[in-house]
Amino acid sequence: MTLQAEVTPVGTLRFELLCTDPTGARRGRLATAHGDVETPTFMPVGTYGAVKSLSPEELMAAGARIILGNTYHLYLRPGHRVIESLGGLHRFISWPGPILTDSGGFQVFSLAALRRVGEDGVEFRSHLDGSLHLLTPEMAIEVQNALGSDISMVLDECPPATAPRDDIVRAMSRTTAWAARCKQAFGDGKSRALFGIVQGGVQEDLRREHAQAIVEIGFDGYAVGGVSVGEPPERIHGIGRLMGGLLPPGAPRYMMGLGTPTDLIELIGSGFDMFDCVMPTRNARNGTLFTSRGLMHIKNQAFTGDPSPIDPGCSCYTCRGFSRAYLRHLHLSKEILGQRLNTIHNLFFYESLMTAARAAIAAGGYAAWSRLTLGLMEEGWS
């Protein structure tokens, strides 16, 4: 059974479902005030208002059309009112395209040295200076409204993968109440959107129950949270298949915080439209590169004199102009240029993967494309 939202959407985000592959993979389009986004799409993560080491022009050249901003970090530094006074986050960071901001809840639960969760919100001490703060649903919306993001997220409680069932149930109940308060604080008639978040751990009955509760409140889109906190891939993919068949088909579906190319291919096939993850940028800085034949560790001695590009089939700026030997030299020398070139390649790879997935869905051949793509990645370069 597919859940249907009976409540009028919150904002004015338009989502057009263009076609659906026999696997359930979807080809769509998000229309926002800052431009259209073709889906499935991958959103690079700009934690502090910047995708590490890259300029907005380089992001656009890599194929990114929407990025993610981090509410928690921008709230603490430089402050949402500072950003608002400077014209909002788009102008502050000189990014012309759409921006999605998270609620800040995940960072509170994962970074705050001390925190106390109550029905009103989360009291926490900043990881920067120890100052005391209270993040309520209303405050999460206030900050995101000040930032001016195109898509805002409700405040949710994200329990760890190992949490007992009773703790997960309490987190679900609190997330539902906070979601309703976020919607009320957000208001209506905005040119922006508000997404609800489904929790429930890896327990299917809890996921079903919470999806029903969040859909009944009614949002512009629906995200699945709590699936990148230690669960094994097969459990994550199982939750993805369950949610992909359950969430309203007329709204965008966002799988938060994932993941590897294998994760993305699997979850696109389950009907998800939006993804984000720090993996391509973080791995780039560590010298791990994503390619059509799987992972490449550029520090390996085998690349000392290798004149080849990272991936001969890749047309990114890095692969067009630089050799594996040079990238290995930069990595071992700890040169910033190496991190930048690696990041350009990894993000280009992720965005190209989304482009290829969209084409396969449009052609009705997603299953064959995904088998071929995953098979090549498993082969490796040896």
Side-chain angles (χ1 to χ4, degrees):
M1 179 186 70
T2 300
L3 300 176
Q4 299 293 334
E6 298 179 357
V7 181
T8 302
V10 183
T12 58
L13 179 84
R14 298 190 307 279
F15 176 67
E16 182 181 5
L17 185 57
L18 301 176
C19 62
T20 302
D21 183 82
T23 60
R26 294 143 51 97
R27 170 81 173 84
R29 181 174 297 124
L30 283 169
T32 80
H34 288 90
D36 294 351
V37 179
E38 305 298 318
T39 65
T41 189
F42 179 81
M43 300 177 286
V45 177
T47 301
Y48 300 99
V51 176
K52 289 189 185 298
S53 82
L54 298 191
S55 69
E57 290 82 1
E58 288 167 325
L59 283 173
M60 293 292 287
R65 294 297 178 266
I66 178 172
I67 63 173
L68 184 144
N70 191 282
T71 297
Y72 170 86
H73 289 289
L74 295 173
Y75 160 72
L76 291 178
R77 184 174 56 193
H80 60 293
R81 293 305 179 197
V82 171
I83 294 174
E84 183 180 40
S85 72
L86 294 169
L89 188 57
H90 291 86
R91 182 172 296 179
F92 186 60
I93 68 175
S94 295
W95 172 253
I99 298 175
L100 180 148
T101 48
D102 58 19
S103 67
F106 179 80
Q107 283 71 32
V108 168
F109 288 104
S110 61
L111 294 179
L114 296 172
R115 63 179 181 271
R116 182 182 62 81
V117 184
E119 297 308 312
D120 193 45
V122 189
E123 187 177 67
F124 68 96
R125 291 196 178 276
S126 165
H127 73 288
L128 296 176
D129 59 11
S131 56
L132 189 64
H133 302 265
L134 177 63
L135 181 64
T136 65
E138 293 77 15
M139 187 62 182
I141 295 302
E142 176 185 319
V143 174
Q144 292 179 88
N145 284 348
L147 296 176
S149 51
D150 298 274
I151 301 174
S152 300
M153 303 300 299
V154 302
L155 181 64
D156 64 323
E157 182 178 352
C158 184
T162 56
R165 181 182 174 93
D166 288 348
D167 289 354
I168 294 174
V169 171
R170 279 191 290 271
M172 287 166 45
S173 176
R174 190 170 285 130
T175 297
T176 302
W178 288 354
R181 288 167 56 187
C182 282
K183 180 177 178 177
Q184 183 174 10
F186 190 81
D188 55 17
K190 290 182 171 62
S191 60
R192 304 193 299 277
L194 182 65
F195 280 22
I197 302 177
V198 178
Q199 289 289 348
V202 293
Q203 301 181 52
E204 292 191 1
D205 62 324
L206 296 184
R207 284 285 178 178
R208 289 180 183 274
E209 177 185 336
H210 200 231
Q212 178 73 55
I214 295 298
V215 170
E216 284 179 355
I217 296 172
F219 293 96
D220 299 294
Y222 297 92
V224 175
V227 289
S228 55
V229 288
E231 305 88 343
E234 59 272 14
R235 299 298 297 275
I236 294 173
H237 299 165
I239 292 300
R241 288 189 292 272
L242 173 68
M243 292 290 98
L246 196 62
L247 294 175
R253 302 164 178 169
Y254 169 26
M255 181 64 77
M256 304 178 73
L258 292 175
T260 68
T262 299
D263 289 333
L264 301 187
I265 290 171
E266 173 71 27
L267 293 166
I268 289 171
S270 297
F272 280 86
D273 311 297
M274 304 171 66
F275 306 91
D276 80 280
C277 191
V278 298
M279 189 171 289
T281 50
R282 178 177 292 168
N283 280 15
R285 298 193 301 277
N286 295 329
T288 300
L289 305 171
F290 293 94
T291 79
S292 61
R293 302 288 290 274
L295 291 178
M296 175 180 289
H297 303 286
I298 201 63
K299 68 180 180 181
N300 286 356
Q301 189 173 0
F303 302 130
T304 301
D306 193 334
S308 305
I310 297 169
D311 191 336
C314 179
S315 61
C316 77
Y317 172 76
T318 303
C319 286
R320 293 199 313 269
F322 303 93
S323 68
R324 298 173 185 175
Y326 182 58
L327 294 172
R328 180 178 187 270
H329 162 71
L330 292 177
H331 179 75
L332 295 179
S333 301
K334 303 186 187 305
E335 285 287 345
I336 294 174
L337 177 61
Q339 297 183 21
R340 284 174 35 76
L341 293 174
N342 291 348
T343 302
I344 287 171
H345 169 79
N346 275 359
L347 284 182
F348 187 91
F349 175 82
Y350 267 63
E351 298 297 348
S352 296
L353 194 68
M354 297 295 103
T355 300
R358 292 194 295 267
I361 295 167
Y366 187 78
W369 173 82
S370 61
R371 284 196 300 270
L372 176 62
T373 303
L374 290 171
L376 287 173
M377 289 181 187
E378 291 171 0
E379 283 184 12
W381 290 101
S382 57

